[in-house]
């Protein structure tokens, strides 16, 4: 790729104190990993395990190494080289203005779907209810808020709710210490861990119990604020605090699996369940690849890379550590999730929680399935109470979701600002104001989440997410072509993912959205198909022009070597 340790990065060159802020690599890695992980590497693998754990594990392993990590590293590197520009702006140089408008429009639609999915998931996680007998609780225990007077059901999201609130309130203080006062990362980490511990302890005694709609409203309002204020105030600093919980949770997850194996825990889940998976989700291809989503490859990561991360990197040598290894850590998390479900729940419990019958009064809740499996894995491996594992599973998942939400709304704000500059020669002043664009992004997110469940939008979210990854790899491939560098390692994954995702959009439209009469998702699907067709047409034409030596109508990209 041509990494140059002496080359000045956009964060150092611009350093405006709001978006471009040169930051220590461990802090940027923490922000980037917390932002990219989201709910995807947990919920996707859990839902895809209806095919059996074998196919899911295999795609995560192959996809994570050869597709996802390559995608994340190359997208981040290109964004840094292009002055911290988004992948849509890079597309403008290689595919022209028409390609830029289509890519940016596609990305805005995709981000709205991502945000709606994560918002819905977050509200579900914070209000999840489970039978107290399943987790070994009795009415005398105070760790959770009871959902009924008889003590038969318990709200397991109350402690995580309080933890989220406290971490958010302390985020500006952490940001002030390491950005404004230049306190060392080690000292800030120690303080961040203290905040995490205190947030959980307070949550034990003052669990928060709100209804899902109120949670969606409050989180939407928070993201409007977080997307407009300087990046260090909430986004970067909140991610830095929260990532310590994520690291601890991931460590516990791995240790629990390893200990369960040593102690002879039995495999409770089938390695091969493809026939039933086909009946519930659809054919193994493209169904499995789309359902796994972020655990193997994710276009959302390119948005994080080009939107916020590339504006914080201090040196090009940090790009590989942040981009490539960040994705490998996410795939490792996805593999751990699969291993936990194998040990923690059986197929009967799985279908009760993840794929309830049509006449069931319960909605699909893959979050709760993971949390229950996590609790039982820690119990079988380390002897910890099941309730403790469920609590930490909720903390882990909720931390990933909220950190992704505030990043994604900020990214959508950037994209709206870019779009107005293309549509209008002189955009109205109101459209240049970040509060307006943040509110527009959050409002569209809330509207879609309010009218759809997690199950309804997961498939189209996964499809759009993977399709954006394919488009990113195409854009990176053109960037490499103009630098006269090898492109096979980005072009092969791009072609495979384009075919897979377009096929899934057609299948979803014909077999699910039209029969359901879901107008919102029918429109979204058709819009995505139209934009995809337009982008593919431009890509083919641009490639033909490149091969035949026809000059580009846009400025040639700067050489990698100065």
């Amino acid at each position: 790729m041509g990494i140059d340790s002496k080359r000045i990065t956009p964060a150092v060159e611009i350093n405006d104190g709001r978006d471009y802020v040169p930051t220590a690599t461990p802090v940027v890695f923490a922000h980037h990993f917390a932002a990219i992980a989201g709910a995807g590497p947990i919920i996707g693998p859990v839902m895809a395990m209806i095919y059996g754990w074998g196919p899911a594990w295999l795609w995560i392993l192959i996809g994570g190494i050869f597709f996802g990590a390559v995608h994340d590293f190359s997208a981040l590197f290109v964004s840094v080289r292009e002055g911290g520009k988004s992948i849509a702006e890079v597309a403008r140089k290689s595919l022209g203005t028409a390609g830029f408008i289509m890519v940016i429009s596609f990305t805005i639609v995709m981000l709205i779907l991502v945000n709606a999915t994560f918002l819905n998931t977050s509200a579900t996680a914070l209000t999840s209810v489970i039978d107290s007998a399943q987790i070994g609780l009795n009415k005398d225990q105070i760790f959770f808020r009871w959902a009924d007077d008889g003590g038969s059901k318990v709200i397991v999201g109350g402690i995580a709710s309080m933890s989220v609130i406290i971490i958010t309130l302390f985020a500006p203080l952490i940001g002030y210490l390491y950005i404004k006062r230049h306190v060392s990362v080690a000292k800030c980490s120690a303080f961040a861990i203290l905040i995490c511990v205190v947030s959980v302890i307070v949550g034990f005694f003052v669990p928060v119990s709100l209804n899902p709609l109120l949670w969606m409203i409050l989180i939407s309002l928070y993201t409007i604020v977080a997307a407009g204020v300087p990046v260090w105030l909430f986004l970067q600093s909140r991610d830095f605090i929260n990532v310590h919980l994520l690291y601890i949770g991931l460590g516990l997850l791995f240790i629990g699996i390893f200990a369960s194996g040593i102690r002879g825990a039995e495999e409770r889940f089938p390695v091969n369940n493809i026939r039933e998976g086909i009946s519930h989700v659809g054919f193994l291809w493209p169904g499995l690849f789309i359902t796994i989503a972020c655990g193997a490859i994710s276009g959302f990561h390119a948005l994080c890379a080009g939107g916020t991360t590339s504006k914080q990197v201090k040196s090009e040598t940090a790009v590989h550590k942040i981009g490539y290894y960040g994705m490998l850590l996410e795939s490792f998390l996805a593999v751990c999730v699969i291993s936990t479900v194998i040990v923690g729940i059986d197929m009967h419990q799985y279908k009760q929680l993840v794929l309830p019958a049509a006449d069931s009064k319960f909605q699909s809740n893959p979050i709760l399935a993971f949390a229950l499996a996590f609790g039982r894995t820690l119990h079988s491996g380390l002897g910890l109470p099941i309730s403790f594992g469920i609590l930490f599973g909720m903390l882990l998942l909720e931390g990933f979701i909220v950190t992704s939400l505030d990043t994604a709304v900020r990214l959508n704000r950037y994209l709206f600002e870019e779009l107005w500059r293309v549509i209008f020669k002189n955009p109205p002043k109101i459209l240049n104001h970040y509060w307006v664009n943040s509110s527009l992004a959050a409002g569209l997110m809330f509207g879609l989440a309010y009218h759809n469940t997690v199950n309804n939008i997961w498939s189209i979210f996964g499809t759009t997410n993977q399709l954006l990854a394919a488009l990113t790899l195409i854009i990176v491939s053109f960037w490499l072509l103009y630098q006269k560098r090898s492109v096979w390692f980005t072009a092969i994954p791009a072609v495979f993912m384009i075919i897979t995702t377009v096929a899934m959009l057609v299948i979803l439209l014909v077999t699910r959205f039209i029969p359901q009469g879901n107008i919102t998702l029918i429109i979204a699907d058709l819009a995505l198909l139209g934009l995809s067709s337009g982008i593919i047409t431009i890509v083919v034409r641009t490639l033909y022009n490149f091969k035949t030596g026809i000059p580009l109508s846009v400025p040639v990209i700067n050489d990698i070597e100065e």
Side-chain angles (χ1 to χ4, degrees):
M1 295 292 288
I3 288 177
D4 182 359
S5 61
K6 296 179 181 179
R7 188 172 179 129
I8 297 174
T9 64
V12 175
E13 183 178 6
I14 299 173
N15 196 3
D16 62 5
R18 176 180 294 276
D19 295 320
Y20 291 82
V21 181
T23 309
T25 299
V27 177
V28 183
F29 184 94
H31 154 70
H32 183 74
F33 177 65
I36 66 171
I42 296 176
I43 296 178
V46 170
M47 295 181 71
M49 285 182 71
I50 187 62
Y51 292 104
W53 66 260
W57 167 81
L58 191 60
W59 169 234
I60 289 169
L61 192 67
I62 295 172
I65 294 171
F66 297 105
F67 285 54
V70 169
H71 166 276
D72 288 20
F73 164 52
S74 59
L76 179 56
F77 179 77
V78 169
S79 179
V80 169
R81 269 297 168 92
E82 291 296 317
K85 290 183 173 64
S86 70
I87 203 67
E89 282 283 5
V90 177
R92 188 176 194 170
K93 284 190 169 185
S94 54
L95 302 180
T97 302
F100 165 73
I101 293 174
M102 287 189 180
V103 169
I104 204 171
S105 301
F106 177 92
T107 306
I108 287 172
V109 174
M110 179 265 181
L111 268 178
I112 292 167
L113 288 166
V114 169
N115 292 340
T117 305
F118 285 176
L119 181 62
N120 212 320
T121 306
S122 183
T124 303
L126 292 173
T127 56
S128 292
V129 175
I130 193 171
D131 289 336
S132 55
Q134 287 195 54
I135 58 176
L137 283 180
N138 60 59
K139 201 175 180 184
D140 296 329
Q141 291 173 291
I142 63 170
F143 295 149
F144 298 102
R145 185 178 291 274
W146 298 103
D148 61 348
D149 294 332
S152 62
K153 295 187 181 297
V154 64
I155 298 173
V156 295
I159 300 170
S161 303
M162 177 54 75
S163 176
V164 166
I165 292 169
I166 291 176
I167 288 174
T168 303
L169 291 175
F170 273 90
L173 177 58
I174 283 285
Y176 171 77
L177 290 174
Y178 74 74
I179 292 294
K180 298 299 182 182
R181 302 296 297 176
H182 304 292
V183 176
S184 70
V185 173
K187 290 179 180 177
C188 289
S189 288
F191 187 34
I193 292 170
L194 178 63
I195 293 170
C196 292
V197 171
V198 170
S199 74
V200 175
I201 292 172
V202 173
F204 276 130
F205 295 99
V206 192
V208 175
S209 178
L210 304 174
N211 67 58
L213 177 59
L214 184 54
W215 264 123
M216 285 199 289
I217 293 171
L218 290 175
I219 293 172
S220 297
L221 292 174
Y222 160 73
T223 58
I224 292 173
V225 175
V229 298
V231 69
W232 62 267
L233 199 60
F234 280 111
L235 184 71
Q236 194 182 73
S237 50
R238 193 190 179 286
D239 289 356
F240 180 69
I241 298 173
N242 204 75
V243 83
H244 291 83
L245 268 181
L246 307 183
Y247 290 156
I248 294 168
L250 185 54
L252 268 176
L253 190 61
F254 176 71
I255 293 168
I257 295 164
F258 193 77
S260 295
I262 290 175
R263 298 181 68 173
E266 293 183 7
E267 179 186 326
R268 307 176 68 191
F269 208 91
V271 64
N272 181 359
N273 195 48
I274 293 175
R275 183 173 296 177
E276 192 169 5
I278 291 172
S279 66
H280 282 283
V281 181
F283 292 115
L284 187 66
W285 180 91
L288 172 75
F289 300 88
I290 298 304
T291 307
I292 290 287
C294 311
I297 181 172
S298 169
F300 176 64
H301 299 184
L303 302 184
C304 294
T308 57
T309 306
S310 64
K311 298 176 177 65
Q312 301 171 45
V313 175
K314 292 174 69 174
S315 168
E316 282 194 359
T317 55
V319 171
H320 187 261
K321 298 172 186 175
I322 296 166
Y324 199 88
Y325 291 119
M327 180 61 213
L328 290 190
L329 187 58
E330 178 163 349
S331 293
F332 176 71
L333 169 62
V335 170
C336 286
V337 168
I338 288 177
S339 303
T340 302
V341 173
I342 292 170
V343 174
I345 58 177
D346 56 29
M347 180 55 79
H348 175 70
Q349 291 170 321
Y350 172 86
K351 287 196 284 190
Q352 274 187 325
L353 293 170
V354 180
L355 296 165
D359 57 352
S360 173
K361 61 181 179 179
F362 298 108
Q363 289 187 353
S364 172
N365 196 339
I367 305 117
L368 190 53
F370 164 71
L372 180 59
F374 190 19
R376 287 180 174 164
T377 300
L378 292 187
H379 179 69
S380 65
L382 303 175
L384 295 172
I386 296 176
S387 54
F388 173 84
I390 289 181
L391 165 63
F392 223 104
M394 284 294 177
L395 288 170
L396 181 69
L397 187 62
E398 190 57 36
F400 276 129
I401 295 171
V402 177
T403 49
S404 292
L405 266 176
D406 51 18
T407 300
V409 172
R410 192 181 192 95
L411 295 175
N412 229 343
R413 182 204 116 200
Y414 292 157
L415 291 169
F416 277 125
E417 290 168 356
E418 288 183 16
L419 185 61
W420 306 144
R421 287 194 291 269
V422 173
I423 294 176
F424 303 101
K425 191 172 183 179
N426 294 302
K429 285 187 177 180
I430 191 170
L431 294 181
N432 289 325
H433 205 289
Y434 52 81
W435 294 113
V436 173
N437 292 302
S438 299
S439 300
L440 181 59
L444 291 169
M445 166 187 74
F446 176 82
L448 188 59
Y450 180 73
H451 290 289
N452 289 280
T453 63
V454 176
N455 248 13
N456 269 357
I457 54 180
W458 185 264
S459 293
I460 192 168
F461 147 71
T463 306
T464 314
N465 188 36
Q466 311 297 73
L467 187 50
L468 181 59
L471 297 177
T472 299
L473 287 168
I474 287 173
I475 293 163
V476 169
S477 297
F478 272 105
W479 192 90
L480 291 168
L481 271 177
Y482 295 132
Q483 312 305 324
K484 299 179 180 178
R485 291 185 178 269
S486 175
V487 300
W488 64 267
F489 62 96
T490 55
I492 291 174
V495 172
F496 176 80
M497 294 311 302
I498 279 282
I499 296 170
T500 300
T501 49
V502 170
M504 192 65 181
L505 279 175
V506 174
I507 290 169
L508 286 173
L509 183 66
V510 174
T511 65
R512 191 177 303 179
F513 300 151
I514 291 177
Q516 288 175 352
N518 192 323
I519 302 299
T520 307
L521 295 184
I522 289 173
I523 293 171
D525 196 306
L526 288 172
L528 291 168
L529 277 172
L531 288 168
S532 302
S533 301
I535 293 168
I536 291 168
T537 301
I538 291 172
V539 165
V540 172
R541 188 180 65 200
T542 306
L543 183 60
Y544 173 78
N545 291 344
F546 178 84
K547 291 294 185 183
T548 54
I550 298 175
L552 293 172
S553 60
V554 291
V556 176
I557 301 167
N558 295 330
D559 289 337
I560 278 184
E561 306 298 342
E562 284 290 304

